[in-house]
Amino acid sequence: MSIKHRHGHATHRDAIWAVIRDLHEFSVSEIEDKTRISHGSIKTYILGLTKAGYLKRTEHHHRAKVDNRFVANRWQLIKDIGVDAPRITRDGKRITQGLSRENMWHAMRILRDFSSKDLAAQASTDDVIIKHADAKNYIKYLHKAGYLIIVIPAKLGTQTRYRMPASRYTGPRPPMIQRTKQVFDPNTGKVVWPKQRDETKHDHGVRQYSLKRYARS
DNA sequence: CCTACCGAAGACTCCGGAAG
DNA sequence: CTTCCGGAGTCTTCGGTAGG
């Protein structure tokens, strides 16, 4: 299978969603024809979308009396939320994984300047509670990677205040701190920290691997 | 470090009608 | 009745990430 991730650009689900919006009323095999994505994956996603209320089944599969041919299930799009494919599980529940980073990334763009406590509070929503420690950690790496500047350094009793200059906003997807502690920007497809150096360290091929992987999508 | 969980894919079973 | 067909739906596995 082709390796494309949501942190790259298009995923399989994005492609399926695009075809659904295009056709509005469809069967699984019609989507299969247009996307060349495996039947099973399409079914799984459609099932989830139906349970979540985005789709409605308009035809239940049966064998036609006249010519003994199969009539496949058909669905209709009843809730269109735009170009971004709904992120749901097969049960139709919203996927919350990764939401906190996303919230923080967008909050940083909006806030003029902020401390780690401000960020945690501003980026928290009903769905996602962001802990102060998480905000601190994310800020630490984004600062190292050059996304943030320090507006007011910490003094006794006050926290450092940061700002993200508009020019450092690279796109809607939050930079990731990968397992190897490197910062990867899915918007540009580049590892932004650490800079290309200490090649001899025992990272093995991890950095190269990531670069290649994401460059493809 | 570890655990929980995700998307994708494939193996497998279930279903209902028609044909033999 | 049994067999066959092919889509629907379930379950498991795999490679991977998020977050403590």
Side-chain angles (χ1 to χ4, degrees):
Chain A
M1 75 165 178
S2 76
I3 301 174
K4 284 184 178 174
H5 261 237
R6 76 183 198 90
H7 298 299
H9 299 287
T11 64
H12 281 152
R13 291 190 171 205
D14 289 329
I16 295 169
W17 180 245
V19 173
I20 287 175
R21 293 186 74 217
D22 187 36
L23 296 178
H24 220 87
E25 203 272 336
F26 54 87
S27 67
V28 169
S29 51
E30 284 168 20
I31 296 193
E32 200 178 355
D33 289 346
K34 294 223 172 203
T35 58
R36 315 297 303 157
I37 292 168
S38 85
H39 193 77
S41 305
I42 297 169
K43 277 198 301 195
T44 304
Y45 192 38
I46 285 182
L47 206 66
L49 286 171
T50 306
K51 286 182 178 163
Y54 292 98
L55 305 179
K56 191 178 78 184
R57 184 142 68 172
T58 56
E59 176 92 70
H60 198 283
H61 88 287
H62 65 278
R63 201 187 278 273
K65 289 224 179 359
V66 253
D67 54 1
N68 190 30
R69 291 185 58 85
F70 256 96
V71 177
N73 280 348
R74 300 193 71 80
W75 287 267
Q76 190 188 350
L77 180 62
I78 54 172
K79 184 169 145 197
D80 188 353
I81 54 159
V83 291
D84 289 330
R87 299 191 55 230
I88 48 164
T89 65
R90 72 183 77 206
D91 302 322
K93 285 184 298 214
R94 189 145 163 263
I95 294 166
T96 55
Q97 192 177 31
L99 269 184
S100 68
R101 290 285 163 85
E102 217 166 286
N103 287 4
M104 283 194 275
W105 177 240
H106 289 110
M108 283 189 277
R109 186 190 183 195
I110 292 160
L111 295 170
R112 271 168 48 92
D113 62 86
F114 53 87
S115 66
S116 50
K117 269 195 178 145
D118 295 340
L119 182 63
Q122 291 298 316
S124 288
T125 61
D126 293 345
D127 294 345
V128 201
I129 309 296
I130 292 160
K131 292 183 192 152
H132 183 207
D134 291 345
K136 239 160 59 177
N137 187 48
Y138 197 42
I139 285 175
K140 182 173 90 184
Y141 282 99
L142 290 196
H143 180 235
K144 281 182 186 178
Y147 290 97
L148 304 178
I149 56 171
I150 292 178
V151 185
I152 306 170
K155 282 188 288 242
L156 203 62
T158 65
Q159 295 185 301
T160 312
R161 299 195 71 76
Y162 298 87
R163 177 187 302 153
M164 180 161 74
S167 61
R168 316 258 170 110
Y169 177 80
T170 49
R173 302 212 185 256
M176 319 160 48
I177 299 159
Q178 296 179 313
R179 223 194 303 226
T180 49
K181 299 299 175 196
Q182 57 186 11
V183 180
F184 173 78
D185 190 329
N187 301 297
T188 59
K190 285 183 183 140
V191 174
V192 288
W193 184 85
K195 305 273 182 246
Q196 287 312 77
R197 56 182 173 81
D198 48 72
E199 217 61 30
T200 51
K201 274 211 171 164
H202 49 273
D203 292 6
H204 300 298
V206 176
R207 176 177 309 128
Q208 259 67 21
Y209 177 62
S210 290
L211 277 167
K212 246 198 300 194
R213 227 166 88 69
Y214 288 105
R216 247 184 290 168
S217 46

